[in-house]
């Protein structure tokens, strides 16, 4: 690259003359021994500038005789020189100075040039005097790494002195410029000064105070020296040792590097955007600026679980170009990396993370990440089967698209969904990061749905499919697992505990058998009589019986028998912690049985936000409760369902109990109770009452 010089040119022409004159007639009379010098003075740059070097210029004309200079004319400013003047044939030297000779300045550059010219009689001579700047240029560049890592207030000084002194720089005793941002300054070295010196000062919350000094040795007039300050994290994480400044000297297209300041790993940033924010892809390429102090060697990209090698030995690979990736090289150390439509063509609608890895020729490795939004429907990821909501998310990167909707429907016809086949459409609301959200309010568990994007009411893109999770069910709800240990327990042997009672009993279902066992009776037991179509071989039989003249109802409940007291009385721990993944709308079970005279069979469900199980003391009727009541001492009741039956049923029958909810809050405890005699807590019932139960199931 050719160095551009601002210069003063002197165009000299010597015309043929016929008259003679003496030395004293230099400005006016001509002879055969003389010529005419026509002079124009020009300097590069705008005349509108506040500073014009020619306003502070001197032109000197010397006659050369016997190798010695003899001053014959001086013009100050140089623009005062006459348009025409005469010179006797001979040798001359023209010297031009321009500028105010500032030793340190951001604006007032100085220039100097000289020209030797021979004037011969009756000849025309055309010459140009080139006056390059006499300043030493110093360009200071604060890399983005300085802006990112250092606190505001960092600065650099450059002084026309051999060894840097911060004190002298700040008190003005030596020619100095202070740089607080990227800028170029100009220097003239004082007599007996051979170097330019510099100092860099900053502070960082992470690194503390940072200071560095150095010199630009024996700089040459007319050259531009670039000081690039970059942060580098050395192996030990501090700005010591290997941390350095790079001084670039630009001279006639050559770049000489001397080690001085901070060498970082390769870095990447958004080209015109913050790489830490989400950038949307529409039609234009998304570009990134890559830079490194050492020459870049390799770049790789990871996206959608695929790693693509982009650069190898500094060259773009054909396979990367084929995928819509381009790299425009600025120099060996930097360039622009661009991702185009072909690259994003395989991206589904959504916000995607793209990872970059850059290496330089010294094997230093830098990384970066970008989040890029690509248009379209995203996979359904946000849904709440307790609230029965689903949030359809749409990425819209075209600002012209504002009418955004989503339509959806069930893919299979269900008995409780008579509207099967009809699309339901919901409007999408714009949010952050190019994301629109449309909410459905009737999503249920164990369903298959399909949904599609509408832009300006037109079908856009493919139909997406989604299946909701299967709602959780009760364990051992078919009552296939039993253990006989002195009495029957509806659980495995390791769940019984030491005595089958209290907190030591960990089975999900409990019965009154541990208490009835003392009287030699069993109120609940397995029956080899499953409901028709069952995959199991058993059901639960609840038998109301009498012992010591006291009625003991056949019962089955979620919880544990707590213990016996007052001989015929007992404690019952009702309810266990339960985690729902969806909201059931009903509970079903299969039933058959005999209802004794004056008696009723009962089945109820109750759920709430409780601190623990609810303890019933059959000797204390204040502990009894109705599932329809709003709360227990342990907390509120959110949902309930109750079934009472006074009619004997000889055949297996499916019973459906709707669940009524008082709150949208999700419960943490569940209570389900079945009893052959509905007033069993009160020791009332008919010992002829029998209740068979099988396959309890939530309906979602």
């Amino acid at each position: 690259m050719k160095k551009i010089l601002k210069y003063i040119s002197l165009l000299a022409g010597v015309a043929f003359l016929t008259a003679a004159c003496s030395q004293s007639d230099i400005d006016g009379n001509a002879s055969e021994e003389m010529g005419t010098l026509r002079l124009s003075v020009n300097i590069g740059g705008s005349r509108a500038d506040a500073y014009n070097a020619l306003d502070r210029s001197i032109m000197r004309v010397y006659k050369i005789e016997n190798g010695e200079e003899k001053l014959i004319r001086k013009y100050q400013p140089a623009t005062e020189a006459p348009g025409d003047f005469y010179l006797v044939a001979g040798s001359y030297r023209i010297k031009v100075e321009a500028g105010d000779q500032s030793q340190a300045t951001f604006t007032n550059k100085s220039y100097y040039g000289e020209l030797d010219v021979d004037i011969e009689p009756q000849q025309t001579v055309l010459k140009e005097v080139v006056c390059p700047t006499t300043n030493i240029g110093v360009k200071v560049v604060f890399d983005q790494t300085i802006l990112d890592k250092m606190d505001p207030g960092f600065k650099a000084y450059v002084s026309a002195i051999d060894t840097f002194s911060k004190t002298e720089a700040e008190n003005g005793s030596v020619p100095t410029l202070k740089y607080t941002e990227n800028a170029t300054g100009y220097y003239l070295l004082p007599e007996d000064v051979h170097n330019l010196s510099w100092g860099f000062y900053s502070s960082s919350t992470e690194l503390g105070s940072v200071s560095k000094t150095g010199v630009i040795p024996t700089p040459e007039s007319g050259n531009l020296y670039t000081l690039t300050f970059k942060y580098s994290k050395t192996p030990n994480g501090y700005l010591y040792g290997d941390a350095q400044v790079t001084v670039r000297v630009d001279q006639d297209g050559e770049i000489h590097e001397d080690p001085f300041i901070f060498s970082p790993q390769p870095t990447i940033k958004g080209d015109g955007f913050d790489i830490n924010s989400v950038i949307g892809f529409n039609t234009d390429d998304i570009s990134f600026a890559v830079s490194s102090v050492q020459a870049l060697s390799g770049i790789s990209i990871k996206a959608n679980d695929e790693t693509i090698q982009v650069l190898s030995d500094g060259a773009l690979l054909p396979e990367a170009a084929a995928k819509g990736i381009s790299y425009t090289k600025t120099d060996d150390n930097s360039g622009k990396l661009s991702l185009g439509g072909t690259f994003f063509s395989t991206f589904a609608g959504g916000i995607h993370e793209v990872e970059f890895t850059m290496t330089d020729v010294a094997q230093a490795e830098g990384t970066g990440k970008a989040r890029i939004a690509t248009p379209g429907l995203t996979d359904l990821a946000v849904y709440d089967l307790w609230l029965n909501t689903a949030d359809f998310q749409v990425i819209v990167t075209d600002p012209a698209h504002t009418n955004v909707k989503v339509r959806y429907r069930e893919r299979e016809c269900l008995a409780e969904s008579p509207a099967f086949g009809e699309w339901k459409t919901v409007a999408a609301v714009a949010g952050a990061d190019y994301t629109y959200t449309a909410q459905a309010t009737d999503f249920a568990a164990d369903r298959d749905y399909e949904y599609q994007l509408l832009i300006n009411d037109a079908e856009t893109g493919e139909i997406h499919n989604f299946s909701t999770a299967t709602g959780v069910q009760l364990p051992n709800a078919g009552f296939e697992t039993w253990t006989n240990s002195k009495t029957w327990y509806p659980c495995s042997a390791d769940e019984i505990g030491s005595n089958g009672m209290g907190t030591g009993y960990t089975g999900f279902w409990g019965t009154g058998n541990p208490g009835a066992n003392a009287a030699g009776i069993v109120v609940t037991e397995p029956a080899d009589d499953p409901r028709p179509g069952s995959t199991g071989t058993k059901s639960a039989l609840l038998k109301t019986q009498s012992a010591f003249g006291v009625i003991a109802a056949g019962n089955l409940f979620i919880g544990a028998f707590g213990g016996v007291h007052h001989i015929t009385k007992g404690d019952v721990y009702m309810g266990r912690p339960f985690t729902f993944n969806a909201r059931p709308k009903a509970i079903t079970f299969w039933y058959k049985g005999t209802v004794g005279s004056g008696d009723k069979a009962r089945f109820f469900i109750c759920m709430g936000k409780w601190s623990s199980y609810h303890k019933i003391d059959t000797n204390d009727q204040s502990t009894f409760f109705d599932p329809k009541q709003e709360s227990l001492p342990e907390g509120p009741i959110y949902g309930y369902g109750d079934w009472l039956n006074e009619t004997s049923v000889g055949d297996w029958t499916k019973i459906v109990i709707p669940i009524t909810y008082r709150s949208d809050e999700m419960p943490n405890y569940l209570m389900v109770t079945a009893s052959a005699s509905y007033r069993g807590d009160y020791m009332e019932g008919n010992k002829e009452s029998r209740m068979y139960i099988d396959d309890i199931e939530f309906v979602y």
Side-chain angles (χ1 to χ4, degrees):
M1 179 179 68
K2 185 178 180 180
K3 181 167 61 180
I4 299 175
L5 302 173
K6 291 191 175 181
Y7 63 92
I8 299 170
S9 65
L10 306 177
L11 302 179
V14 181
F16 293 113
L17 303 173
T18 58
C21 73
S22 66
Q23 182 73 35
S24 63
D25 294 327
I26 192 169
D27 289 331
N29 299 321
S31 74
E32 294 181 357
E33 303 299 320
M34 302 181 69
T36 300
L37 177 63
R38 290 194 177 96
L39 189 66
S40 64
V41 181
N42 299 291
I43 188 170
S46 174
R47 291 295 182 273
D49 294 343
Y51 171 77
N52 185 353
L54 282 178
D55 293 339
R56 304 166 177 83
S57 60
I58 302 175
M59 176 188 295
R60 295 180 175 91
V61 182
Y62 297 89
K63 184 74 176 337
I64 307 299
E65 295 179 343
N66 300 320
E68 296 183 358
E69 297 178 349
K70 180 181 179 182
L71 180 65
I72 59 175
R73 279 293 182 270
K74 176 181 175 182
Y75 302 97
Q76 189 173 3
T79 52
E80 295 296 319
D84 294 306
F85 62 93
Y86 305 112
L87 294 174
V88 175
S91 297
Y92 295 85
R93 182 169 293 147
I94 302 169
K95 297 181 180 182
V96 179
E97 297 177 12
D100 63 4
Q101 306 301 306
S102 296
Q103 292 181 320
T105 177
F106 285 115
T107 56
N108 297 4
K109 290 191 285 185
S110 299
Y111 305 86
Y112 175 80
E114 62 181 53
L115 171 69
D116 288 346
V117 57
D118 292 328
I119 305 297
E120 297 184 8
Q122 302 183 18
Q123 286 190 1
T124 300
V125 180
L126 300 176
K127 294 288 186 179
E128 181 181 60
V129 180
V130 177
C131 298
T133 180
T134 56
N135 299 100
I136 302 162
V138 178
K139 181 179 180 181
V140 170
V141 177
F142 297 107
D143 186 77
Q144 186 64 40
T145 54
I146 295 293
L147 305 181
D148 294 341
K149 204 68 176 178
M150 304 300 176
D151 296 339
F154 55 82
K155 54 187 175 290
Y157 299 98
V158 178
S159 300
I161 190 173
D162 288 320
T163 303
F164 184 76
S165 167
K166 185 180 181 184
T167 300
E168 291 180 310
E170 291 183 338
N171 66 22
S173 60
V174 296
T176 301
L177 294 178
K178 177 180 178 181
Y179 297 77
T180 59
E181 58 185 6
N182 297 352
T184 301
Y186 305 95
Y187 301 83
L188 296 175
L189 294 181
E191 189 176 358
D192 297 326
V193 174
H194 306 287
N195 305 321
L196 287 172
S197 60
W198 54 263
F200 173 79
Y201 300 90
S202 69
S203 62
S204 165
T205 304
E206 176 184 347
L207 304 171
S209 297
V210 177
S211 63
K212 290 285 183 179
T213 61
V215 299
I216 302 175
T218 59
E220 297 181 5
S221 297
N223 286 342
L224 176 65
Y225 298 75
T226 301
L227 291 176
T228 303
F229 293 80
K230 296 186 178 182
Y231 166 76
S232 175
K233 188 175 183 180
T234 60
N236 62 8
Y238 297 96
L239 289 175
Y240 303 113
D242 297 334
Q244 51 183 344
V245 164
T246 297
V247 180
R248 290 191 174 182
V249 182
D250 296 317
Q251 181 181 10
D252 297 328
E254 298 179 3
I255 299 177
H256 309 281
E257 306 219 72
D258 300 317
F260 282 116
I261 292 193
F262 324 137
S263 294
Q265 303 87 353
T267 60
I268 188 168
K269 63 180 182 179
D271 186 22
F273 65 93
D274 183 359
I275 199 171
N276 296 313
S277 63
V278 176
I279 180 69
F281 173 75
N282 186 14
T283 57
D284 297 334
D285 291 359
I286 296 177
S287 298
F288 303 85
V290 184
S291 62
S292 177
V293 169
Q294 302 286 342
L296 281 168
S297 177
I299 298 176
S300 65
I301 297 175
K302 183 179 180 181
N304 288 338
D305 296 324
E306 180 185 10
T307 299
I308 305 169
Q309 190 67 32
V310 179
L311 291 190
S312 180
D313 294 328
L316 178 67
L317 296 175
E319 51 266 39
K323 293 180 178 291
I325 304 171
S326 64
Y327 183 77
T328 304
K329 187 175 181 180
T330 303
D331 53 37
D332 289 344
N333 302 54
S334 60
K336 179 185 291 187
L337 177 69
S338 299
L339 309 178
T342 302
F343 178 81
F344 293 111
S345 63
T346 60
F347 283 53
I351 297 175
H352 306 271
E353 187 171 89
V354 180
E355 300 178 9
F356 306 91
T357 301
M358 297 77 61
T359 57
D360 62 21
V361 293
Q363 299 304 307
E365 182 178 282
T367 60
K369 294 181 180 180
R371 290 180 298 153
I372 300 175
T374 54
L377 267 173
T378 70
D379 291 334
L380 183 57
V382 181
Y383 65 98
D384 188 330
L385 296 181
W386 184 262
L387 297 176
N388 302 118
T389 61
D391 289 344
F392 301 105
Q393 292 190 334
V394 184
I395 302 299
V396 180
T397 58
D398 189 340
H401 294 165
T402 57
N403 183 6
V404 183
K405 300 176 182 176
V406 176
R407 65 177 186 172
Y408 68 98
R409 65 182 179 184
E410 290 188 36
R411 287 193 296 167
E412 297 181 5
C413 183
L414 303 177
E416 56 267 31
S417 301
F420 166 74
E422 294 183 3
W423 288 103
K424 300 177 182 179
T425 301
V426 287
V429 179
D433 296 333
Y434 308 94
T435 301
Y436 282 68
T437 302
Q439 188 176 80
T441 57
D442 56 356
F443 255 46
D446 200 22
R447 301 286 197 279
D448 294 326
Y449 293 94
E450 57 185 19
Y451 58 103
Q452 187 178 31
L453 173 64
L454 304 177
I455 298 290
N456 296 330
D457 296 320
E459 299 174 15
T460 304
E462 298 180 350
I463 292 177
H464 293 236
N465 298 318
F466 183 77
S467 298
T468 57
T470 299
V472 66
Q473 297 292 347
L474 303 177
N476 198 27
F479 304 107
E480 299 298 316
T481 301
W482 295 85
T483 300
N484 193 341
S485 177
K486 297 182 181 181
T487 189
W488 283 107
Y489 297 91
C491 65
S492 62
D494 59 356
E495 294 175 311
I496 296 174
S498 61
N499 60 6
M501 295 186 289
T503 57
Y505 178 81
T506 59
F508 189 76
W509 296 99
T511 71
N513 283 346
N517 184 59
I521 60 175
V522 176
V523 297
T524 304
E525 63 186 17
D528 296 326
D529 187 3
R531 61 97 171 171
S534 174
T535 59
T537 60
K538 294 181 174 60
S539 60
L541 171 58
L542 287 56
K543 307 180 298 181
T544 298
Q545 300 191 53
S546 175
F548 306 115
V550 178
I551 290 292
N555 59 70
L556 182 71
F557 55 90
I558 294 175
F561 187 83
V564 178
H565 60 86
H566 296 91
I567 302 177
T568 59
K569 305 296 182 179
D571 296 330
V572 182
Y573 300 159
M574 303 287 289
R576 289 201 182 279
F578 194 82
T579 301
F580 287 95
N581 67 337
R583 188 202 304 245
K585 61 182 180 180
I587 190 169
T588 68
F589 65 96
W590 288 82
Y591 163 80
K592 70 177 182 177
T594 300
V595 180
S597 177
D599 207 353
K600 295 179 183 180
R602 191 178 195 184
F603 187 107
F604 72 79
I605 180 174
C606 184
M607 61 184 72
K609 198 67 170 288
W610 303 331
S611 58
S612 69
Y613 54 79
H614 177 67
K615 181 181 177 181
I616 292 179
D617 182 350
T618 59
N619 194 49
D620 182 2
Q621 294 189 15
S622 69
T623 64
F624 300 171
F625 76 98
D626 186 329
K628 297 182 181 67
Q629 68 190 62
E630 294 187 359
S631 65
L632 297 172
E634 292 76 27
I637 295 174
Y638 290 159
Y640 66 92
D642 198 6
W643 176 79
L644 285 168
N645 176 57
E646 56 187 5
T647 304
S648 297
V649 178
D651 297 324
W652 282 104
T653 303
K654 187 176 184 179
I655 307 298
V656 180
I657 304 175
I659 301 174
T660 300
Y661 290 94
R662 301 189 174 94
S663 172
D664 287 335
E665 293 284 335
M666 183 180 290
N668 64 344
Y669 263 80
L670 174 66
M671 186 187 301
V672 174
T673 297
S675 178
S677 298
Y678 78 114
R679 289 183 63 83
D681 288 346
Y682 299 88
M683 310 301 175
E684 298 177 14
N686 190 311
K687 59 184 181 180
E688 301 298 321
S689 293
R690 298 289 184 270
M691 185 179 192
Y692 288 85
I693 293 178
D694 201 3
D695 290 339
I696 302 173
E697 185 177 10
F698 281 125
V699 177
Y700 290 94

